[in-house]
Amino acid sequence: MRTAYGLCIEGLDEVTELDAGVRAPVGSRPVSVRQRHAVPPPPAPLDADRMVRVLTDGRTLELGRASGDATFYGPPLAADLLAHPYLAPVAVVVNRWAGRETFHAGAFVHTGRAWVVLGGRTAGKSTLLAALAAREVPVLADDVVVCAGGDVLAGPRCVDLREPIPGFGLRTRGVRGDTRLRVTLPAVAPRLPLGGWIFLHWGARPAMTPLGPAEVLARLAARRSLPELPSDPGALLALAARPGYDLTRPRDWAALDATHRLLDTALSAAGPLP
Protein backbone atom coordinates (compact mmCIF):
# COMPACT_ATOMS: atom_id res chain seq x y z
CA MET A 1 0.00 0.00 0.00
CA ARG A 2 1.14 3.54 -0.82
CA THR A 3 -0.25 6.76 0.59
CA ALA A 4 -0.56 10.35 -0.64
CA TYR A 5 -3.22 13.07 -0.80
CA GLY A 6 -5.31 11.30 1.84
CA LEU A 7 -5.52 8.14 -0.29
CA CYS A 8 -4.56 4.54 0.52
CA ILE A 9 -3.42 3.40 -2.90
CA GLU A 10 -3.10 -0.12 -4.28
CA GLY A 11 -1.48 -0.84 -7.64
CA LEU A 12 1.30 1.75 -7.47
CA ASP A 13 3.97 -0.15 -5.55
CA GLU A 14 6.55 0.87 -8.16
CA VAL A 15 5.99 4.59 -7.55
CA THR A 16 8.73 5.42 -5.06
CA GLU A 17 7.56 9.02 -4.58
CA LEU A 18 4.59 7.74 -2.57
CA ASP A 19 4.96 6.83 1.10
CA ALA A 20 5.03 3.09 1.76
CA GLY A 21 4.41 1.15 4.93
CA VAL A 22 3.21 4.14 6.96
CA ARG A 23 0.00 4.55 8.88
CA ALA A 24 -2.49 6.32 6.63
CA PRO A 25 -4.22 9.44 7.96
CA VAL A 26 -7.57 8.98 9.63
CA GLY A 27 -10.30 9.11 7.02
CA SER A 28 -8.05 8.07 4.13
CA ARG A 29 -9.90 6.85 1.06
CA PRO A 30 -9.00 3.49 -0.50
CA VAL A 31 -8.13 3.67 -4.20
CA SER A 32 -7.02 0.89 -6.54
CA VAL A 33 -5.16 2.14 -9.62
CA ARG A 34 -4.74 0.14 -12.83
CA GLN A 35 -4.01 0.75 -16.50
CA ARG A 36 -5.74 -0.68 -19.55
CA HIS A 37 -4.67 -0.31 -23.17
CA ALA A 38 -8.23 -0.74 -24.40
CA VAL A 39 -11.19 1.23 -25.72
CA PRO A 40 -12.39 3.48 -22.88
CA PRO A 41 -16.02 3.82 -21.80
CA PRO A 42 -17.98 6.92 -22.83
CA PRO A 43 -17.73 10.05 -20.65
CA ALA A 44 -19.82 10.12 -17.47
CA PRO A 45 -20.56 13.11 -15.20
CA LEU A 46 -18.95 13.76 -11.84
CA ASP A 47 -22.16 13.38 -9.88
CA ALA A 48 -22.78 9.82 -11.08
CA ASP A 49 -21.65 6.62 -9.36
CA ARG A 50 -18.65 6.66 -11.66
CA MET A 51 -16.78 9.42 -13.47
CA VAL A 52 -15.19 9.09 -16.91
CA ARG A 53 -13.07 12.03 -18.03
CA VAL A 54 -10.86 12.55 -21.09
CA LEU A 55 -7.47 13.92 -19.97
CA THR A 56 -5.51 16.59 -21.83
CA ASP A 57 -3.19 14.03 -23.49
CA GLY A 58 -6.10 11.98 -24.87
CA ARG A 59 -6.04 9.27 -22.21
CA THR A 60 -9.25 8.54 -20.33
CA LEU A 61 -9.60 8.23 -16.55
CA GLU A 62 -12.48 6.21 -15.09
CA LEU A 63 -13.23 6.42 -11.37
CA GLY A 64 -15.74 4.42 -9.36
CA ARG A 65 -17.26 6.42 -6.55
CA ALA A 66 -18.18 3.49 -4.31
CA SER A 67 -15.54 0.98 -5.40
CA GLY A 68 -12.56 3.34 -5.38
CA ASP A 69 -11.31 1.87 -8.67
CA ALA A 70 -9.25 4.24 -10.83
CA THR A 71 -8.47 3.09 -14.36
CA PHE A 72 -6.32 4.87 -16.94
CA TYR A 73 -7.14 3.93 -20.56
CA GLY A 74 -4.38 4.46 -23.09
CA PRO A 75 -0.67 3.74 -23.58
CA PRO A 76 1.06 2.54 -20.38
CA LEU A 77 2.28 5.24 -18.02
CA ALA A 78 5.73 5.10 -16.44
CA ALA A 79 6.07 5.25 -12.66
CA ASP A 80 7.40 8.82 -12.68
CA LEU A 81 4.32 10.00 -14.58
CA LEU A 82 1.96 8.19 -12.22
CA ALA A 83 3.53 9.99 -9.26
CA HIS A 84 3.02 13.31 -10.98
CA PRO A 85 0.95 14.52 -12.76
CA TYR A 86 -1.44 11.58 -13.26
CA LEU A 87 -2.23 10.84 -9.62
CA ALA A 88 -3.45 14.42 -9.21
CA PRO A 89 -6.82 14.06 -11.02
CA VAL A 90 -7.51 10.86 -9.09
CA ALA A 91 -6.82 12.64 -5.80
CA VAL A 92 -8.91 15.64 -6.73
CA VAL A 93 -12.03 13.68 -7.71
CA VAL A 94 -11.90 11.19 -4.82
CA ASN A 95 -11.35 13.89 -2.22
CA ARG A 96 -14.00 16.18 -3.66
CA TRP A 97 -16.45 13.26 -3.60
CA ALA A 98 -15.52 12.88 0.07
CA GLY A 99 -16.49 16.49 0.75
CA ARG A 100 -12.95 17.84 1.05
CA GLU A 101 -11.68 20.97 -0.66
CA THR A 102 -8.78 20.67 -3.09
CA PHE A 103 -6.74 23.37 -4.82
CA HIS A 104 -4.10 23.55 -7.55
CA ALA A 105 -1.42 24.63 -5.09
CA GLY A 106 1.57 23.56 -3.01
CA ALA A 107 2.28 23.66 0.71
CA PHE A 108 5.28 23.91 3.01
CA VAL A 109 5.68 23.65 6.78
CA HIS A 110 6.52 26.50 9.13
CA THR A 111 6.46 26.10 12.93
CA GLY A 112 4.43 22.91 12.63
CA ARG A 113 1.75 24.36 10.36
CA ALA A 114 1.05 23.94 6.65
CA TRP A 115 1.10 27.12 4.57
CA VAL A 116 -0.59 26.77 1.19
CA VAL A 117 0.98 28.49 -1.83
CA LEU A 118 -1.42 29.41 -4.65
CA GLY A 119 -0.83 31.04 -8.03
CA GLY A 120 -1.25 30.62 -11.76
CA ARG A 121 0.64 28.13 -13.92
CA THR A 122 3.66 30.42 -14.26
CA ALA A 123 3.57 31.98 -10.78
CA GLY A 124 6.61 29.99 -9.59
CA LYS A 125 4.96 27.75 -7.00
CA SER A 126 7.24 24.77 -7.60
CA THR A 127 10.36 26.97 -7.81
CA LEU A 128 9.58 28.53 -4.43
CA LEU A 129 8.87 25.13 -2.86
CA ALA A 130 12.09 23.63 -4.25
CA ALA A 131 14.10 26.60 -2.97
CA LEU A 132 12.56 26.14 0.48
CA ALA A 133 13.31 22.40 0.36
CA ALA A 134 16.96 23.25 -0.40
CA ARG A 135 16.99 25.17 2.91
CA GLU A 136 15.58 22.08 4.68
CA VAL A 137 12.10 23.57 4.98
CA PRO A 138 9.66 20.61 4.85
CA VAL A 139 7.46 20.64 1.76
CA LEU A 140 4.08 19.01 2.32
CA ALA A 141 2.70 18.98 -1.23
CA ASP A 142 3.20 20.25 -4.76
CA ASP A 143 0.59 20.56 -7.51
CA VAL A 144 -2.47 19.57 -5.42
CA VAL A 145 -3.41 20.57 -1.88
CA VAL A 146 -6.14 18.59 -0.10
CA CYS A 147 -7.79 20.16 2.95
CA ALA A 148 -9.50 17.77 5.37
CA GLY A 149 -11.19 19.76 8.08
CA GLY A 150 -8.53 22.07 9.41
CA ASP A 151 -5.62 19.97 8.15
CA VAL A 152 -3.60 19.78 4.94
CA LEU A 153 -2.72 16.29 3.64
CA ALA A 154 0.73 15.37 2.33
CA GLY A 155 1.28 14.73 -1.37
CA PRO A 156 3.90 12.69 -3.28
CA ARG A 157 7.49 13.24 -2.17
CA CYS A 158 8.64 15.28 -5.16
CA VAL A 159 8.66 18.70 -6.78
CA ASP A 160 9.05 19.01 -10.56
CA LEU A 161 10.89 21.98 -12.08
CA ARG A 162 11.01 23.27 -15.64
CA GLU A 163 14.59 24.50 -15.20
CA PRO A 164 17.33 24.21 -12.55
CA ILE A 165 17.64 26.79 -9.76
CA PRO A 166 21.19 28.17 -9.92
CA GLY A 167 23.25 28.26 -6.76
CA PHE A 168 21.14 25.88 -4.69
CA GLY A 169 22.85 22.55 -5.39
CA LEU A 170 19.55 20.71 -5.61
CA ARG A 171 19.89 17.08 -6.68
CA THR A 172 17.50 16.42 -9.53
CA ARG A 173 16.76 13.76 -12.13
CA GLY A 174 15.05 14.02 -15.48
CA VAL A 175 11.44 12.78 -15.53
CA ARG A 176 8.35 13.03 -17.72
CA GLY A 177 10.33 12.38 -20.87
CA ASP A 178 13.13 14.66 -19.64
CA THR A 179 10.78 17.67 -19.77
CA ARG A 180 11.06 18.21 -16.00
CA LEU A 181 13.72 18.05 -13.29
CA ARG A 182 12.44 16.18 -10.23
CA VAL A 183 13.55 17.08 -6.71
CA THR A 184 13.01 14.18 -4.30
CA LEU A 185 11.57 15.26 -0.95
CA PRO A 186 12.13 13.59 2.43
CA ALA A 187 9.29 12.00 4.37
CA VAL A 188 6.87 14.29 6.16
CA ALA A 189 3.88 13.94 8.49
CA PRO A 190 0.81 12.69 6.59
CA ARG A 191 -1.28 15.67 7.76
CA LEU A 192 -0.61 18.98 9.48
CA PRO A 193 -2.84 21.81 10.69
CA LEU A 194 -3.47 24.58 8.20
CA GLY A 195 -1.53 27.73 8.98
CA GLY A 196 -2.83 29.96 6.21
CA TRP A 197 -2.69 31.02 2.56
CA ILE A 198 -0.03 32.66 0.40
CA PHE A 199 -0.98 34.01 -3.04
CA LEU A 200 2.00 34.48 -5.36
CA HIS A 201 2.64 37.47 -7.61
CA TRP A 202 5.62 38.84 -9.55
CA GLY A 203 6.81 42.35 -8.72
CA ALA A 204 9.79 44.64 -8.31
CA ARG A 205 10.74 43.64 -4.76
CA PRO A 206 9.76 41.06 -2.12
CA ALA A 207 6.70 42.09 -0.07
CA MET A 208 4.08 40.37 2.10
CA THR A 209 0.65 42.04 2.23
CA PRO A 210 -2.00 40.73 4.67
CA LEU A 211 -5.45 39.95 3.30
CA GLY A 212 -8.80 40.16 5.04
CA PRO A 213 -10.99 37.05 5.53
CA ALA A 214 -13.53 38.21 2.93
CA GLU A 215 -10.83 38.53 0.27
CA VAL A 216 -9.36 35.13 1.19
CA LEU A 217 -12.82 33.55 1.01
CA ALA A 218 -13.50 35.02 -2.45
CA ARG A 219 -10.17 33.76 -3.77
CA LEU A 220 -10.56 30.28 -2.31
CA ALA A 221 -14.09 29.95 -3.65
CA ALA A 222 -12.82 30.86 -7.12
CA ARG A 223 -9.81 28.51 -6.99
CA ARG A 224 -11.30 25.32 -5.56
CA SER A 225 -11.06 22.27 -7.80
CA LEU A 226 -14.13 20.92 -9.61
CA PRO A 227 -16.47 23.80 -8.72
CA GLU A 228 -19.31 21.87 -10.35
CA LEU A 229 -19.37 19.71 -7.21
CA PRO A 230 -21.00 21.30 -4.15
CA SER A 231 -18.92 22.70 -1.31
CA ASP A 232 -19.81 23.13 2.34
CA PRO A 233 -20.05 26.92 2.92
CA GLY A 234 -19.14 26.45 6.57
CA ALA A 235 -15.99 24.54 5.66
CA LEU A 236 -14.93 27.24 3.20
CA LEU A 237 -15.54 29.91 5.85
CA ALA A 238 -13.37 28.02 8.31
CA LEU A 239 -10.54 27.74 5.75
CA ALA A 240 -10.78 31.44 4.92
CA ALA A 241 -10.53 32.35 8.62
CA ARG A 242 -6.85 31.42 8.60
CA PRO A 243 -4.39 34.22 7.73
CA GLY A 244 -3.86 35.10 4.08
CA TYR A 245 -1.09 37.06 2.36
CA ASP A 246 -0.14 38.34 -1.06
CA LEU A 247 3.54 37.48 -1.61
CA THR A 248 5.24 39.59 -4.28
CA ARG A 249 8.78 38.85 -5.43
CA PRO A 250 10.91 39.66 -8.48
CA ARG A 251 11.80 37.25 -11.30
CA ASP A 252 15.37 37.08 -10.09
CA TRP A 253 17.07 33.98 -8.68
CA ALA A 254 19.10 36.20 -6.33
CA ALA A 255 15.85 37.38 -4.66
CA LEU A 256 15.03 33.91 -3.29
CA ASP A 257 17.12 34.52 -0.16
CA ALA A 258 15.24 37.73 0.62
CA THR A 259 11.92 36.02 -0.11
CA HIS A 260 12.74 33.22 2.33
CA ARG A 261 13.67 35.71 5.07
CA LEU A 262 10.46 37.64 4.45
CA LEU A 263 8.36 34.48 4.70
CA ASP A 264 10.08 33.39 7.90
CA THR A 265 9.54 36.77 9.55
CA ALA A 266 5.90 37.17 8.51
CA LEU A 267 4.81 33.63 9.34
CA SER A 268 6.62 33.64 12.69
CA ALA A 269 4.52 36.68 13.60
CA ALA A 270 1.26 35.00 12.55
CA GLY A 271 0.76 33.71 16.07
CA PRO A 272 -0.44 30.36 17.45
CA LEU A 273 -3.29 28.34 16.05
CA PRO A 274 -6.70 29.19 17.52
Side-chain angles (χ1 to χ4, degrees), residues 127 129-135 161 164-165 167-172 183-184:
T127 301
L129 293 170
L132 292 173
R135 292 177 166 86
L161 302 172
I165 305 177
F168 278 76
L170 282 168
R171 297 181 62 183
T172 62
V183 179
T184 300

Side-chain angles (χ1 to χ4, degrees), residues 45-110:
L46 281 164
D47 57 357
D49 291 334
R50 66 185 182 93
M51 181 278 295
V52 181
R53 171 169 286 188
V54 179
L55 305 178
T56 55
D57 67 348
R59 288 182 174 84
T60 296
L61 171 62
E62 179 183 23
L63 275 164
R65 188 167 190 166
S67 66
D69 293 329
T71 305
F72 290 99
Y73 291 87
L77 291 163
D80 63 312
L81 289 168
L82 287 164
H84 177 60
Y86 284 88
L87 185 59
V90 177
V92 167
V93 174
V94 172
N95 280 293
R96 290 290 282 121
W97 276 343
R100 296 166 173 167
E101 292 297 340
T102 68
F103 303 91
H104 177 53
F108 65 92
V109 183
H110 188 279

Side-chain angles (χ1 to χ4, degrees), residues 161-194:
L161 302 172
R162 289 183 173 85
E163 58 182 326
I165 305 177
F168 278 76
L170 282 168
R171 297 181 62 183
T172 62
R173 63 185 177 94
V175 294
R176 298 162 66 175
D178 286 332
T179 63
R180 298 291 188 275
L181 297 171
R182 178 160 295 176
V183 179
T184 300
L185 301 173
V188 71
R191 64 190 297 160
L192 285 170
L194 171 66

Side-chain angles (χ1 to χ4, degrees), residues 4-263:
Y5 295 135
L7 309 178
C8 293
I9 309 163
E10 295 183 353
L12 295 184
D13 291 344
E14 75 280 15
V15 181
T16 57
E17 292 86 350
L18 307 180
D19 283 334
V22 300
R23 171 177 266 180
V26 175
S28 293
R29 301 290 166 166
V31 174
S32 179
V33 178
R34 62 179 179 173
Q35 301 187 62
R36 294 189 64 188
H37 203 169
V39 177
L46 281 164
D47 57 357
D49 291 334
R50 66 185 182 93
M51 181 278 295
V52 181
R53 171 169 286 188
V54 179
L55 305 178
T56 55
D57 67 348
R59 288 182 174 84
T60 296
L61 171 62
E62 179 183 23
L63 275 164
R65 188 167 190 166
S67 66
D69 293 329
T71 305
F72 290 99
Y73 291 87
L77 291 163
D80 63 312
L81 289 168
L82 287 164
H84 177 60
Y86 284 88
L87 185 59
V90 177
V92 167
V93 174
V94 172
N95 280 293
R96 290 290 282 121
W97 276 343
R100 296 166 173 167
E101 292 297 340
T102 68
F103 303 91
H104 177 53
F108 65 92
V109 183
H110 188 279
T111 59
R113 292 176 285 176
W115 290 86
V116 179
V117 179
L118 302 102
R121 295 190 67 86
T122 60
K125 296 185 297 296
S126 296
T127 301
L128 177 61
L129 293 170
L132 292 173
R135 292 177 166 86
E136 299 185 352
V137 175
V139 172
L140 195 62
D142 184 31
D143 192 48
V144 170
V145 161
V146 179
C147 294
D151 292 343
V152 177
L153 307 184
R157 302 290 76 221
C158 62
V159 174
D160 286 1
L161 302 172
R162 289 183 173 85
E163 58 182 326
I165 305 177
F168 278 76
L170 282 168
R171 297 181 62 183
T172 62
R173 63 185 177 94
V175 294
R176 298 162 66 175
D178 286 332
T179 63
R180 298 291 188 275
L181 297 171
R182 178 160 295 176
V183 179
T184 300
L185 301 173
V188 71
R191 64 190 297 160
L192 285 170
L194 171 66
W197 310 92
I198 298 170
F199 298 89
L200 295 183
H201 307 275
W202 298 114
R205 59 178 59 89
M208 288 275 285
T209 306
L211 300 170
E215 178 64 22
V216 174
L217 177 62
R219 295 190 189 188
L220 295 183
R223 292 172 182 261
R224 71 194 193 282
S225 305
L226 301 181
E228 57 266 44
L229 290 178
S231 293
D232 178 0
L236 274 176
L237 283 169
L239 294 177
R242 302 305 303 146
Y245 300 90
D246 275 331
L247 171 59
T248 303
R249 73 265 192 257
R251 295 178 182 267
D252 183 355
W253 297 118
L256 284 170
D257 285 334
T259 301
H260 184 207
R261 290 193 299 269
L262 181 66
L263 277 170

